[in-house]
Amino acid sequence: MSNLVRIILAIFLPPIAVLITTGIGLQFLLNILLTLMGVLPGTIHALWLVLRDR
């Protein structure tokens, strides 16, 4: 999947972007927890994972 699409998903739907990038695992569960605590921490985590994966 295109990096641009994953970046847009990371901004609007962080857990979905992490799921596409890393699959179901620790990072996905951590992102769900961070997103439930606040959208900004989940978004930052998702962007970090998506951009690190390049």
Side-chain angles (χ1 to χ4, degrees), residues 1-9 17 20-21 50 54:
M1 185 171 282
S2 165
N3 274 342
L4 179 62
V5 172
R6 290 193 303 174
I7 290 170
I8 292 170
L9 278 175
I20 291 170
T21 302
V50 167
R54 289 201 287 169

Side-chain angles (χ1 to χ4, degrees), residues 15-29 49:
I16 301 300
V18 173
L19 179 66
I20 291 170
T21 302
T22 64
I24 294 177
L26 178 63
Q27 295 297 329
F28 177 65
L29 296 174
L49 287 174

Side-chain angles (χ1 to χ4, degrees), residues 11-53:
I11 293 170
F12 293 108
L13 298 167
I16 301 300
V18 173
L19 179 66
I20 291 170
T21 302
T22 64
I24 294 177
L26 178 63
Q27 295 297 329
F28 177 65
L29 296 174
L30 178 62
N31 190 267
I32 288 176
L33 179 66
L34 287 170
T35 303
L36 289 175
M37 293 172 67
V39 175
L40 188 60
T43 301
I44 292 170
H45 180 252
L47 282 171
W48 177 68
L49 287 174
V50 167
L51 294 175
R52 182 188 71 164
D53 192 50

